[in-house]
Amino acid sequence: MRFRHPDGSTVHLAYCTNVHPAETLDGVLAQLRDHCEPVRRRLGRDRIGIGLWLAKDAARALVTDPAALRGLRTELDRRGLEVVTLNGFPYEGFGAEEVKYRVYKPDWTDPERLAHTTDLARLLATLLPDDVAEGTISTLPVAWRTPFDTARAEAARSALTALAQRLDALDELTGRSIRIGLEPEPGCTVETTADAIAPLTAVGHDRIGVCVDTCHLATSFEDPQAALDALTAARIPVVKSQLSAALHAEHPHLPAVREALAAFDEPRFLHQTRTLNGTGLRGTDDLGEALADHALPDTAPWRAHFHVPLHAAPAAPLTSTLPVLQDTLTRLVGGPHPLTRHLEVETYTWQALPPALRPRGRPQLTDGIAAELTLARDLLTDLGLKELP
């Protein structure tokens, strides 16, 4: 979906396909048929954007077979889908029964992460619509915090510098500018937007910036305006933003609240949990750890890294951090010029919701994704952006 900002620039809105895990090219093509096109039809649009997730095997198949890549581009066009952004964070196994810490491997200290992201950049340069010259890719925020030392930090900096040089060369070759955004996430070496400033300043290239995930921002109790103003002051570009909402518990000391939170403690994904009190930000790596006796102070609200549907906050006594998303979006695109032009709804946890809240089949999932995109569209038009055909 495209929108015209009051300054005349185009802002793109997509939804991320990591909600439909597929590891192979055949699986990706099935996603387009079984999920993405039905969402487009449900919205009554001739064209919608998707933030494509290409796992290692699918990406490698496309890089090594130009005919397959042309076929994917043709299939996208035929189904009324366009791609201006990729989710390059998960490498493989995102559909496994247990993902947890595996999602952070390989990290930016491993040459395979550089090779994979380079592949994604080359693919995106071909997949971009003919009238779009810039693409974006989100990636993990360097590495999980342990083990990490000075030598590993230098290896990651060198890899990101090499990537920037490759992106420069790709632009010269294709005329397409591809930019990469580190996605701050709780528990990683870059947990917050503030943590991103030093390593990105060390890389010192405007093709490498930040992907602001509003669930992660909220989970770490960052103030959207302060966070984005600090990035602007440091001249760190916001490459893209993932529109997502975290799980919020206002009174975690209450037994009913803890019982409601426990329903979201599931075995597939890591749900880092944070609280901000008089001693600062405290946290655990997973929701189950936080719920253990005295593992996390419960005198102030808790937030958990669980991407809940944008349009459907959890039932009381829980809620979501949708207001943080709204505040962030206002700062990102509500001003005289957009801070980013690529927005991506990323609720990948539909099948990890408590059983009563999960979609019972494809049609219900299609309806849910379409409802999220409708909410995002309404937020954008309320900010003065005009939806384009």
Side-chain angles (χ1 to χ4, degrees):
M1 301 167 75
R2 299 186 184 194
F3 298 80
R4 182 74 68 211
H5 189 275
D7 75 347
S9 62
T10 300
V11 173
H12 295 265
L13 173 66
Y15 91 88
C16 186
T17 64
N18 63 355
V19 65
H20 317 300
E23 303 286 321
T24 66
L25 179 54
D26 285 344
V28 170
L29 294 173
Q31 286 178 349
L32 305 185
R33 179 192 68 228
D34 296 338
H35 297 288
C36 302
E37 185 176 11
V39 169
R40 177 185 65 77
R41 293 185 182 278
R42 176 66 178 80
L43 289 167
R45 304 283 304 176
D46 292 332
R47 171 182 61 186
I48 67 166
I50 57 172
L52 199 57
W53 174 55
L54 296 172
K56 174 195 69 171
D57 289 345
R60 179 47 47 182
L62 291 166
V63 165
T64 56
D65 187 348
L69 180 55
R70 289 193 299 271
L72 175 58
R73 173 64 190 273
T74 298
E75 193 71 359
L76 289 165
D77 292 341
R78 185 170 76 87
R79 298 193 182 279
L81 307 169
E82 66 177 14
V83 174
V84 302
T85 190
L86 301 180
N87 187 331
F89 195 140
Y91 177 73
E92 63 181 343
F94 202 61
E97 290 185 4
E98 183 177 330
V99 179
K100 298 290 185 181
Y101 296 94
R102 292 172 51 191
V103 76
Y104 306 107
K105 296 292 185 179
D107 61 31
W108 277 101
T109 68
D110 187 330
E112 185 52 41
R113 176 60 67 170
L114 173 59
H116 177 62
T117 308
T118 301
D119 283 349
L120 294 179
R122 291 170 176 162
L123 295 173
L124 183 55
T126 297
L127 294 175
L128 286 175
D130 292 340
D131 61 344
V132 175
E134 180 182 295
T136 58
I137 303 172
S138 49
T139 188
L140 82 160
V142 182
W144 186 252
R145 70 181 184 278
T146 55
F148 201 75
D149 55 22
T150 302
R152 289 169 64 82
E154 177 57 27
R157 187 201 63 79
S158 296
L160 289 168
T161 300
L163 176 65
Q165 294 168 348
R166 294 179 185 185
L167 297 176
D168 283 342
L170 183 64
D171 193 349
E172 292 182 12
L173 180 66
T174 66
R176 301 293 181 88
S177 175
I178 307 299
R179 298 195 298 162
I180 308 298
L182 301 184
E183 182 184 330
E185 176 165 317
C188 294
T189 61
V190 175
E191 170 155 342
T192 66
T193 55
D195 294 336
I197 292 175
L200 290 176
T201 299
V203 173
H205 201 296
D206 62 5
R207 293 194 195 276
I208 313 292
V210 167
C211 167
V212 175
D213 184 300
T214 58
C215 170
H216 303 172
L217 187 88
T219 301
S220 294
F221 287 87
E222 289 196 79
D223 174 74
Q225 173 119 0
L228 295 172
D229 285 353
L231 291 177
T232 299
R235 298 185 177 181
I236 303 297
V238 180
V239 169
K240 65 184 277 191
S241 180
Q242 288 173 326
L243 307 182
S244 53
L247 191 63
H248 180 95
E250 186 68 18
H251 302 292
H253 66 285
L254 296 177
V257 175
R258 300 177 80 88
E259 182 180 355
L261 284 169
F264 287 84
D265 178 26
E266 55 82 40
R268 185 171 175 187
F269 298 112
L270 207 60
H271 301 297
Q272 301 93 316
T273 304
R274 299 289 184 267
T275 186
L276 183 64
N277 59 21
T279 63
L281 190 68
R282 300 278 300 277
T284 60
D285 283 356
D286 214 344
L287 180 55
E289 297 174 39
L291 290 168
D293 288 343
H294 309 298
L296 195 62
D298 60 7
T299 56
W302 286 5
R303 290 176 178 173
H305 172 215
F306 195 119
H307 291 221
V308 295
L310 302 186
H311 67 292
L318 304 178
T319 187
S320 81
T321 60
L322 182 63
V324 177
L325 184 161
Q326 293 172 299
D327 290 347
T328 307
L329 196 59
T330 297
R331 181 69 179 89
L332 285 172
V333 301
H337 304 288
L339 297 184
T340 187
R341 292 186 295 275
H342 289 180
L343 305 172
E344 178 184 60
V345 171
E346 196 215 9
T347 305
Y348 59 83
T349 45
W350 283 93
Q351 298 302 333
L353 290 167
L357 302 179
R358 293 175 194 169
R360 291 185 295 274
R362 288 179 187 169
Q364 194 173 9
L365 178 58
T366 295
D367 289 346
I369 293 170
E372 290 194 294
L373 287 168
T374 297
L375 182 147
R377 178 199 65 194
D378 291 346
L379 292 177
L380 291 172
T381 56
D382 287 347
L383 290 170
L385 282 71
K386 180 182 178 181
E387 187 177 5
L388 299 175

